[in-house]
Amino acid sequence: FRRREPLGHIIFHENTSNAIGHLIAQNCANIGLAYFDKKDLKDFIAFSHKQRLNISYLFHDQLFLVVRKESPLSALERISVTEIQNRCFAVLPQFSLETPELYAQFLGTNNRLTVLPSVPHIKQAILDWDACGVLSSFAFKQDKSVNNEDLRAIPLIAPETEQCLSLCLIHLRI
């Protein structure tokens, strides 16, 4: 990039998926990555046609409950949010804003929610505080800030909430 555009610069920002699309549509950003569930993706596609945005599907993903390897929950093959009670959760700001119904279920069963700024912070909180984390498979696998062998990612089942997420690349149509 620097060889082709010596005067150019790259600035990275994190935001909610819907906000990323709006920033690109307003020429405040050039390209973005965003997660959408089926309902939000359908709504965003309608928005993108009006705003001249291209959406490319990169892959499908899902949310996982991440716990320490020693946690009693780590023996489970999958877990429903209704089974998780009296726990401290560490989550990313963008997921807590985009899926409030999922977190309302957590908070509704005597769970505490701590919003942390990054995946490395969440993984460290899981190890240090015995917290539970909610991460996509991609975020869990790609972050190498801690040894993933010390953690266990359990597929999360949330009734009435879409568990399949699509990671999409968004940019203006030229």
Side-chain angles (χ1 to χ4, degrees), residues 57-149:
Y57 304 99
L58 300 178
F59 62 86
H60 295 292
D61 205 345
Q62 74 177 84
L63 292 178
F64 283 81
L65 178 73
V66 181
V67 296
R68 287 192 322 187
K69 182 173 62 174
E70 299 84 16
S71 169
L73 297 174
S74 70
L76 300 172
E77 291 299 314
R78 61 182 176 271
I79 189 164
S80 170
V81 292
T82 58
E83 298 175 74
I84 308 168
Q85 296 187 15
N86 299 313
R87 297 284 178 170
C88 178
F89 277 88
V91 298
L92 293 168
Q94 51 270 42
F95 282 119
S96 63
L97 293 171
E98 290 206 5
T99 53
E101 66 281 352
L102 183 63
Y103 293 100
Q105 290 176 16
F106 291 156
L107 294 172
T109 55
N110 298 319
N111 292 305
R112 295 162 310 285
L113 184 70
T114 301
V115 177
L116 296 173
S118 67
V119 173
H121 285 97
I122 288 174
K123 285 183 167 182
Q124 199 61 54
I126 294 166
L127 292 172
D128 293 348
W129 313 338
D130 196 22
C132 296
V134 177
L135 295 172
S136 69
S137 174
F138 181 76
F140 175 75
K141 291 175 183 173
Q142 294 302 310
D143 175 70
K144 305 294 185 198
S145 63
V146 303
N147 184 355
N148 283 343
E149 297 292 320

